Amino acid sequence: MTPSNAIELRGLRKVYAARGSEPEKVALKGLDLDIPTGSIFGLLGPNGAGKSTTINILAGLVNKTSGSVRIWGFDQDVNPRQSRAAIGVVPQELNLDPFFAPRAALEVQAGLYGVPKAERRTDAILEAVGLLDKAEAYARTLSGGMRRRLLIAKALVHAPQILVLDEPTAGVDIELRQMLWAYVRELNAAGTTIILTTHYLEEAEEMCDRIGIINHGELVVTEETGTLLQQLDAKTLVITPESPVDNLPSEQGKIRIDMRPDGACAFSYRRSETGAEEVLDLARSLGISIRDVASEDPDLEDVFMALTTSKT
């Protein structure tokens, strides 16, 4: 049966022992996290928050100190082979053997996972990531973008139910980024659960249907992306005047006023305290003849900064 959660973490804790002059480091502080099956889940957090440690534990590269990890319904301690087979990880580092061609690299990877030759989809995967014409080229001759695609291909050879993408578009151009996201959406539509870490918050906002934010080894929040964006109370009305205005106060009551370079006036306020009609009345009282009005809601960067800075 397909589990309701692709990943379930309970009380996940990781402590790195003291080394030399470096003190003991607690990377994860009892993390509880559910990642729904079929979702594109964004795992976000500042540098050192614990994202990489979490991913490395899922991948079996780092041993947890305590807690439990279930991957596709399999307990990592009880069924390590089944849990490992359910997940494919695309690392941030371009760690490829420079003397392997893409076709050979995928064949070796499939062999490591015990995929029978008759069931291997090497050429189909290479075609899907746009590398079929480079199937026999040494990895060292591939561009950075091609190497990134090859890493994704390697993670897919055993047809995992879960694909983890760790900063997959770091340092790649816009065209490749769009190609990668188109392919990720295809994988997700076919049933693959995607876990994404990224520093490009607009990317997470566009791609992810659910987001978890980690800070200092703790889960700050996990929520549907749309609901998360609604958590901030901030709102801005941008008013374009009929004629230029100046000498506006920077603040009026609970409303902040900023002049923008294009001549528009930005009125920022809290929705729980002030209504849009009150803002418009204020603009008129300040002598502004209104030509156009646009509203601006907070984006994921605003939410991210509000949640992580409040936890430091």
Side-chain angles (χ1 to χ4, degrees):
M1 292 180 61
T2 301
S4 58
N5 290 319
I7 301 288
E8 292 182 354
L9 308 179
R10 293 291 181 270
L12 186 61
R13 183 174 172 83
K14 176 61 184 177
V15 180
Y16 291 99
R19 296 179 60 183
S21 60
E22 295 182 7
E24 177 182 273
K25 178 183 177 183
V26 181
L28 295 175
K29 305 173 181 177
L31 189 67
D32 292 331
L33 177 63
D34 290 334
I35 298 179
T37 296
S39 64
I40 300 182
F41 188 93
L43 187 62
L44 309 181
N47 290 331
K51 304 186 303 297
S52 294
T53 298
T54 302
I55 288 172
N56 287 334
I57 289 173
L58 291 176
L61 300 175
V62 169
N63 293 324
K64 66 183 186 300
T65 301
S66 60
S68 67
V69 176
R70 296 185 71 86
I71 301 174
W72 206 250
F74 296 106
D75 189 301
Q76 194 179 58
D77 294 330
V78 179
N79 304 105
R81 290 187 62 185
Q82 291 92 330
S83 65
R84 183 67 186 89
I87 194 168
V89 179
V90 181
Q92 182 177 351
E93 298 80 14
L94 295 173
N95 54 353
L96 294 166
D97 189 317
F99 297 101
F100 268 83
R103 181 177 282 125
L106 264 61
E107 285 292 313
V108 170
Q109 188 82 350
L112 292 174
Y113 277 97
V115 181
K117 287 192 175 183
E119 297 177 15
R120 296 179 187 177
R121 304 171 297 115
T122 298
D123 281 6
I125 294 173
L126 288 174
E127 183 175 13
V129 299
L131 289 177
L132 189 57
D133 61 335
K134 299 289 185 179
E136 299 301 335
Y138 285 133
R140 67 176 184 271
T141 67
L142 301 178
S143 67
M146 289 178 179
R147 294 182 189 186
R148 183 74 62 187
R149 281 183 266 172
L150 180 53
L151 286 176
I152 294 176
K154 287 181 65 177
L156 294 172
V157 296
H158 60 296
Q161 292 93 341
I162 305 162
L163 182 65
V164 179
L165 302 168
D166 189 8
E167 299 285 349
T169 58
V172 304
D173 58 40
I174 294 176
E175 183 179 358
L176 175 58
R177 188 177 301 177
Q178 292 174 342
M179 185 280 293
L180 288 176
W181 290 141
Y183 185 51
V184 166
R185 287 190 176 98
E186 289 179 16
L187 288 171
N188 181 248
T192 304
T193 301
I194 308 294
I195 301 173
L196 165 70
T197 76
T198 179
H199 279 92
Y200 301 109
L201 296 183
E202 70 279 5
E203 208 167 61
E205 186 174 346
E206 178 184 353
M207 290 293 300
C208 301
D209 46 52
R210 194 171 184 85
I211 286 173
I213 297 178
I214 296 178
N215 197 27
H216 297 298
E218 297 178 298
L219 186 67
V220 178
V221 68
T222 177
E223 193 60 82
E224 291 183 2
T225 304
T227 304
L228 193 60
L229 293 174
Q230 293 173 4
Q231 287 193 13
L232 280 189
D233 198 24
K235 181 83 172 181
T236 300
L237 280 187
V238 181
I239 297 176
T240 302
E242 288 284 1
S243 56
V245 296
D246 52 19
N247 297 322
L248 291 178
S250 60
E251 196 170 310
Q252 191 80 8
K254 296 179 180 180
I255 302 171
R256 192 182 78 246
I257 306 171
D258 296 295
M259 292 299 300
R260 295 192 170 177
D262 61 358
C265 311
F267 291 73
S268 301
Y269 58 97
R270 292 190 174 276
R271 286 177 286 193
S272 60
E273 300 175 343
T274 306
E277 192 60 42
E278 185 178 344
V279 175
L280 294 174
D281 287 343
L282 171 61
R284 296 185 186 99
S285 71
L286 293 172
I288 299 174
S289 181
I290 300 173
R291 177 160 62 90
D292 192 20
V293 177
S295 65
E296 292 180 353
D297 290 308
D299 59 19
L300 184 56
E301 184 171 2
D302 297 319
V303 178
F304 181 86
M305 292 301 297
L307 291 172
T308 55
T309 54
S310 66
K311 295 289 183 178
T312 55

